[in-house]
Amino acid sequence: LWLDEAGGYVTAIDRCARHGLVWFTKPDRIASWHVARPLMHAIKGASLRTSWTPIHAASVAREAGAILIVGQSGAGKTSIAMTCASQGWDYLGDDAVIVRADPPRVASLYSSARLREDTFQRYPEIMSACLGVSDDAGELKAEVDMALLRPPAAEGGIRANVVPQPTGWAEFRLAPMGRAATLRKLMEATRQSMLGDEAAVFSKLAALVSQVPCYALTASGDASLLSNGLARLIEA
């Protein structure tokens, strides 16, 4: 897989030998998101013949039950994950996780999180684990190591898929969402940042969505209200 990002780089995987390489042609141009999510395309290539697949999504967990938060960049995944983490939830990821369908489970890939500048003041405890601020994408992002705050959870059973709605955090509401619409959102988000093998990924995600309740989520600026609302999905 060749991508033009960071001056151009190639990911090559031998799926039979389970070996691979990632070659950056201009190492001095490696961007912060490559450092925060290393070897993402290599992980996808190596996982093709397994029951797991990495996806572009966020996830938080408590009491071994996890919520999968689905949406493209800017949908609010990081804000929801950070709000839950600030309320004592286990952090699994704010942008990339790996999932399987049978049984429905989500596992953490990275302990990193990336916060937009307009959320720095909202999460002072989380910002205490900030390793620096990057601006190579034209937008300031705090690069946070969530493992400095508490040991990250390894994985959890997925109890619900939630899809944030663009409402400006004015209220909290959960409404059942069709599985086809949820699957479309999952594929759109994953296609946005993890290219290739779409048929295999679709098959795995379709199996996952068929087994897990799906909801449209109208988020809220009230941290405890959001946390308690999502906790009810795990307890159900």
Side-chain angles (χ1 to χ4, degrees):
L1 174 67
W2 170 266
L3 292 174
D4 291 327
E5 299 172 358
Y9 74 100
V10 64
T11 300
I13 299 293
D14 182 334
R15 287 170 170 159
C16 294
R18 302 291 296 276
H19 292 289
L21 64 84
V22 180
W23 175 44
F24 285 87
T25 61
K26 298 180 180 179
D28 60 323
R29 292 182 57 183
I30 295 175
S32 60
W33 58 84
H34 293 113
V35 177
R37 317 278 192 257
L39 309 180
M40 174 54 67
H41 296 295
I43 293 170
K44 182 173 182 180
S47 67
L48 181 66
R49 295 182 180 179
T50 76
S51 60
W52 294 86
T53 185
I55 60 172
H56 182 182
S59 185
V60 290
R62 60 188 293 174
E63 299 176 359
I67 301 292
L68 192 66
I69 307 162
V70 177
Q72 293 181 286
S73 296
K77 299 188 302 298
T78 296
S79 294
I80 294 169
M82 294 300 101
T83 297
C84 289
S86 70
Q87 294 292 300
W89 289 64
D90 292 322
Y91 173 83
L92 288 167
D94 74 320
D95 188 65
V97 292
I98 191 166
V99 298
R100 64 178 298 176
D102 188 18
R105 296 194 70 79
V106 54
S108 178
L109 285 171
Y110 310 109
S111 65
S112 58
R114 309 184 73 228
L115 278 64
R116 297 192 315 270
E117 183 181 13
D118 60 354
T119 65
F120 289 0
Q121 301 301 316
R122 190 185 302 170
Y123 307 109
E125 178 185 358
I126 290 171
M127 285 295 293
S128 68
C130 177
L131 302 180
V133 177
S134 63
D135 64 355
D136 53 3
E139 181 182 22
L140 294 181
K141 291 284 186 77
E143 308 292 342
V144 176
D145 184 355
M146 297 295 287
L148 297 177
L149 300 175
R150 58 187 299 177
E155 61 180 88
I158 302 173
R159 300 290 188 265
N161 300 312
V162 299
V163 181
Q165 305 301 300
T167 57
W169 287 63
E171 58 179 318
F172 175 84
R173 183 174 60 183
L174 283 168
M177 186 169 180
R179 298 186 190 279
T182 303
L183 178 58
R184 183 169 62 250
K185 290 291 187 180
L186 265 170
M187 285 299 298
E188 288 173 352
T190 299
R191 186 185 298 121
Q192 180 186 35
S193 60
M194 301 179 197
L195 306 179
D197 301 317
E198 291 194 6
V201 172
F202 180 88
S203 178
K204 293 177 183 180
L205 294 185
L208 171 63
V209 169
S210 71
Q211 299 185 64
V212 179
C214 305
Y215 299 90
L217 167 66
T218 301
S220 168
D222 186 320
S224 61
L225 188 63
L226 175 62
S227 174
N228 292 338
L230 292 180
R232 288 195 291 272
L233 297 181
I234 290 178
E235 296 163 358

